[in-house]
Amino acid sequence: MSTAGVSATGTAQLSFDDLGTPLADTTFVVVDLETTGGSAERDAIIEVGAVKVRGGRVLGEFATLVDPGRGIPPSIVALTGITDAVVHAAPRIEAVLPAFLEFASGAVLVAHNASFDVGFLRAAARRLGYPWSRPPVLCTVRLARRVLARDEAPSCRLAALAELFHATTRPVHRALEDARATVDVLHGLLARLGPLGVHSLEDLLGYLPEVTAAQRAKRGLAEHLPRAPGVYLFRGPGDEVLYVGTAGNLHRRVRQYFTGAESRRRIREMVALATRVDTVTCAHTLEAEVRELRLLAAHRPAYNRRSKEPGRYWWVALTEEPFPRPSLVRRPRDGALGPFRSRRSAEEAVRALLDAVPLRPCTVRIPARNPRLTPCALAELGRCAAPCAGRQSADEYQPAVVAVHDLVAGRATGPLARLATRLGELADAHRFEEAAVRRDRLAGLVRVLDRGQRLAALAALPELVAARPDGRGGWELAVVRYGRLASAGVAARGVAPMPVVDALVAGAETVTPGPGPLRGAPPEETGVILRWLTRPGTRLVRCAEPWAEPAGAAASWRGWLDRAAEARFPAEARFPAEAGGDAGGRRPASN
C-alpha cells in the first residue's frame, strides 16, 4: 500500500498541541443518569440529562426519559419521582443512546461519580453493538477529593458540593437538574486549579491521583511523535510489540497514555513495560485503521484484546455430498454464509436455516443410490423427509439446496418470509417465549446475510477509487481492490486531485482474488473500507465494474429489523408485506 500527498515546507512553529488543549477551548459534556438500580449489567437507564459547556458557556442540553422495559422499583420511585406511568411513552435506550453519543461526540465526559454513569453508558453501547470510543472521562468526585481539603468539604456528595460552590441549580435526583448542578461544581473546581498551574486538559487529567509514577516517567516517549494520523506501536524491553493503536493525531493520542485519561489496569501495566513508541504515519484515518488491523494480525500484541486473529471467523457452508447439510467451517467456500464472530452465532443461524428450509439436520453421510439407513425421530415428527431411508431422492432434495444458495447470494428471501410467518403464528397462539427466541434467531440471520452480501459486493470489484473531503478543502483518496485497501493518499487544497489519483492507481498494491465470498479479503478490513465508502460525502471516482448489491438481498429487511428491535412483543414484529422481494436483478450499492 503506497501513500501520496502534498505537504507544505517551512519553519515549524509551536501550536496548541505543544502546550496541550487549553481548558477554555475544551468541550465538556456533563452527564447524569437515573437508573432502576446500581448494576450496569442487570439494571436499566430511566432518564438521561446532559449539558454541553465550553469556556464557561452552555452550548446545549440533552434530556429525555427512557423506557427501561421493566418495572421501576419502589425505592427508585421514592427517590426520583419517576414511575412506570411517567416512562410509559418514553423512547427505549435503543433510540436514546445513538442520539446521546452524537451529542457527546468529541467532548470530555464529566459526571459526579463517573464510574457509575459512564459504566451504564458503556454497558448499553456494548449490548446494542455501538463502538465505545473511550472518550476522556472526568469524575467530579475524584477531582473534589484531590482539590478540596477535608475540613472545607467533609462530604463530596453532589448536594454538598453544589451548596459549597453556590450552584444555581439544586440537585433533586433528576438527570438534567443534577447535570446542571454538576456543571457549577465543575467550574468551581476548575477555578481552584488555575493557581496550581493546571491550564490544559492534559494538565487536568494528569493532576488526578490515579496517574502512576511509571506513567509520568514515560511521558518523554510521546514527545517526538508527529501530529498526523497513523498507527502507533508500544514496544517492550525485547523490542516486542506490546500494543498497537490508531489515532487521528499520534502525538496527542499517545500522550494520553501518560495522563489520568488512561484508567485501564492492563494498559497501565503495558505503559510501565514500554521502552519505545514507533509510529507509521498514514495519509488519513482509513489507511490508519487498515494498517492497524494488519499490524495486529502480524504481531499479535499481548495487550490488545481484539483483532489479533483474522482467521477466527466462522462460516456456514453446505457439505459437498448428494444430500448436502449445513456445516461450520473456518475457511470460507464460495457460497458460504457469514462471517460470524462466534461459533454460537453461527449455530443459531444454522437453526434458523433448518427452520426455514427442509435441509436434513443429521451428520451421517448418505449415499446417492439406495440408502438404507434407519430414520431418526425427526422423520417421525415430520421435520425431515428421511433421505437416509430412501424416502427422498437427491433430485427431490435439491430445491432446498437451491433455496439456501439463493438466500445467501441475495437472489431470494423466501426462507426469511417463511420464518416471519411462523413468528406471527406463534404470537397469535400466545407462545411468546418461543416467538421471542425465533424472532432473535431470525434477526441474527438477517443481519449476517445483510452484512455478508454487502461485503461480498465490495469484495467482487477488481478496482474502485473513492474520495471524500478532508475538511480542509482537500480530498482523502483510496484505491480498493477485491475488498482490500491497495493504496491511499491525499490531494491537499489547491492540488488537482486526478493526477494524484493516477499516481495512486499506478503504485497501488497488486491484489490477487482468493476463494470464498470475500475473495480472500479479511472481513474486518473489508468492513472498515465499506463504512468509509458509505459515509455521507464519499464520492466514487472510478469503478472497474458497477458496484451493486442483489435486488433480493437481505437489505430489504432492514425496516423489519428496526421494528423488531423496538417491538415490546414478538407479535408487533410480523413479516412486512413490502419486504423480502425475490427479484433476481441487482441494485446499485448506496453510498
Side-chain angles (χ1 to χ4, degrees):
M1 181 165 38
S2 61
T3 302
V6 179
S7 61
T9 60
T11 304
Q13 64 183 79
L14 293 176
S15 67
F16 281 122
D17 281 333
D18 299 302
L19 304 174
T21 307
L23 289 176
D25 296 333
T26 300
T27 301
F28 297 97
V29 169
V30 182
V31 62
D32 185 83
L33 306 178
E34 301 300 333
T35 67
T36 60
S39 172
E41 298 301 327
R42 296 188 302 273
D43 295 304
I45 298 169
I46 58 175
E47 189 176 30
V48 180
V51 182
K52 182 183 293 187
V53 295
R54 183 173 62 237
R57 291 193 311 110
V58 174
L59 303 181
E61 292 184 337
F62 181 99
T64 180
L65 291 164
V66 182
D67 180 1
R70 66 188 73 175
I72 300 175
S75 59
I76 301 299
V77 173
L79 181 68
T80 65
I82 302 174
T83 65
D84 292 339
V86 170
V87 300
H88 176 72
R92 298 292 292 271
I93 190 62
E94 291 86 350
V96 172
L97 184 64
F100 173 78
L101 293 177
E102 182 178 356
F103 178 79
S105 177
V108 178
L109 283 182
V110 181
H112 202 69
N113 189 14
S115 61
F116 176 88
D117 299 277
V118 176
F120 266 88
L121 293 169
R122 185 168 54 241
R126 183 179 65 253
R127 285 194 297 268
L128 298 175
Y130 288 97
W132 185 254
S133 59
R134 295 188 179 277
V137 175
L138 184 63
C139 177
T140 49
V141 173
R142 287 169 44 200
L143 187 59
R145 288 173 178 163
R146 184 80 165 92
V147 172
L148 304 175
R150 184 171 293 274
D151 57 348
E152 182 182 15
S155 170
C156 286
R157 292 185 301 107
L158 180 58
L161 294 178
E163 183 177 354
L164 174 66
F165 289 110
H166 307 289
T168 56
T169 303
R170 177 172 168 266
V172 291
H173 293 292
R174 292 300 299 266
L176 184 58
E177 287 78 2
D178 288 8
R180 288 169 175 168
T182 306
V183 168
D184 291 337
V185 170
L186 172 66
H187 288 158
L189 292 171
L190 294 181
R192 298 289 187 94
L193 291 173
L196 301 178
V198 177
H199 301 295
S200 70
L201 174 62
E202 290 74 18
D203 292 337
L204 174 60
L205 297 174
Y207 182 76
L208 296 175
E210 283 76 6
V211 180
T212 65
Q215 282 177 292
R216 291 192 180 96
K218 298 291 179 69
R219 288 179 178 176
L221 297 180
E223 295 308 313
H224 69 286
L225 302 185
R227 295 169 177 82
V231 182
Y232 55 90
L233 301 88
F234 279 85
R235 292 188 177 271
D239 210 36
E240 71 277 17
V241 176
L242 300 174
Y243 187 83
V244 176
T246 182
N249 183 315
L250 289 165
H251 180 269
R252 179 182 298 171
R253 178 67 188 100
V254 172
R255 190 165 58 179
Q256 289 176 350
Y257 284 89
F258 314 115
T259 71
E262 184 49 69
S263 59
R264 293 169 290 174
R265 182 176 300 177
R266 281 172 52 84
I267 299 303
R268 289 184 179 184
E269 178 183 307
M270 181 275 296
V271 169
L273 292 173
T275 60
R276 188 172 92 244
V277 180
D278 292 339
T279 60
V280 179
T281 304
C282 299
H284 44 70
T285 55
L286 172 61
E287 184 187 6
E289 289 185 71
V290 170
R291 285 192 179 274
E292 178 191 29
L293 291 173
R294 295 180 182 180
L295 288 168
L296 286 169
H299 294 286
R300 299 190 177 185
Y303 288 90
N304 282 95
R305 291 188 180 274
R306 67 174 189 89
S307 306
K308 292 186 289 186
E309 299 180 24
R312 75 188 189 284
Y313 289 94
W314 290 92
W315 299 77
V316 175
L318 297 184
T319 56
E320 297 179 358
E321 52 184 319
F323 298 92
R325 58 179 175 81
S327 65
L328 304 187
V329 296
R330 284 289 196 179
R331 293 186 178 180
R333 310 167 189 165
D334 290 342
L337 170 64
F340 297 90
R341 294 185 180 275
S342 69
R343 182 185 180 94
R344 180 180 177 181
S345 59
E347 290 171 343
E348 286 295 301
V350 170
R351 292 188 182 97
L353 282 176
L354 294 175
D355 286 340
V357 181
L359 294 173
R360 64 185 182 97
C362 59
T363 59
V364 297
R365 192 166 188 87
I366 304 174
R369 297 181 179 180
N370 300 320
R372 291 291 184 266
L373 301 176
T374 302
C376 63
L378 292 176
E380 301 301 325
L381 295 173
R383 296 179 57 186
C384 179
C388 61
R391 300 178 186 176
Q392 185 183 36
S393 68
D395 289 340
E396 292 169 334
Y397 188 85
Q398 191 62 22
V401 177
V402 173
V404 172
H405 286 315
D406 287 348
L407 176 66
V408 174
R411 291 187 290 267
T413 57
L416 301 182
R418 286 191 287 274
L419 289 174
T421 299
R422 177 59 177 156
L423 177 63
E425 293 171 352
L426 291 171
D428 289 340
H430 299 283
R431 296 165 61 181
F432 293 122
E433 291 186 4
E434 184 180 354
V437 171
R438 289 175 179 262
R439 176 197 60 192
D440 294 343
R441 193 176 290 166
L442 173 57
L445 179 60
V446 171
R447 289 191 188 96
V448 76
L449 282 167
D450 185 20
R451 182 169 185 263
Q453 288 162 356
R454 298 183 74 205
L455 294 179
L458 177 59
L461 299 176
E463 183 176 280
L464 177 150
V465 182
R468 64 172 292 105
D470 64 1
R472 299 180 297 275
W475 293 93
E476 299 175 352
L477 304 168
V479 179
V480 181
R481 291 175 176 171
Y482 294 110
R484 295 177 63 95
L485 185 64
S487 185
V490 294
R493 181 178 182 179
V495 175
M498 292 313 297
V500 180
V501 168
D502 293 337
L504 288 174
V505 171
E509 174 186 348
T510 299
V511 178
T512 302
L518 303 189
R519 307 298 199 276
E524 282 197 339
E525 178 172 336
T526 308
V528 165
I529 296 170
L530 181 62
R531 285 195 297 273
W532 188 84
L533 289 171
T534 53
R535 285 170 56 193
T538 305
R539 301 183 183 182
L540 296 184
V541 178
R542 62 177 68 153
C543 198
E545 298 176 0
W547 179 17
E549 298 171 8
S556 60
W557 279 67
R558 290 175 193 164
W560 178 88
L561 277 178
D562 294 338
R563 286 188 289 275
E566 296 173 0
R568 287 175 175 268
F569 304 104
E572 299 175 19
R574 297 176 186 272
F575 169 57
E578 70 275 10
D582 287 350
R586 298 180 70 83
R587 57 194 177 96
S590 60
N591 71 313

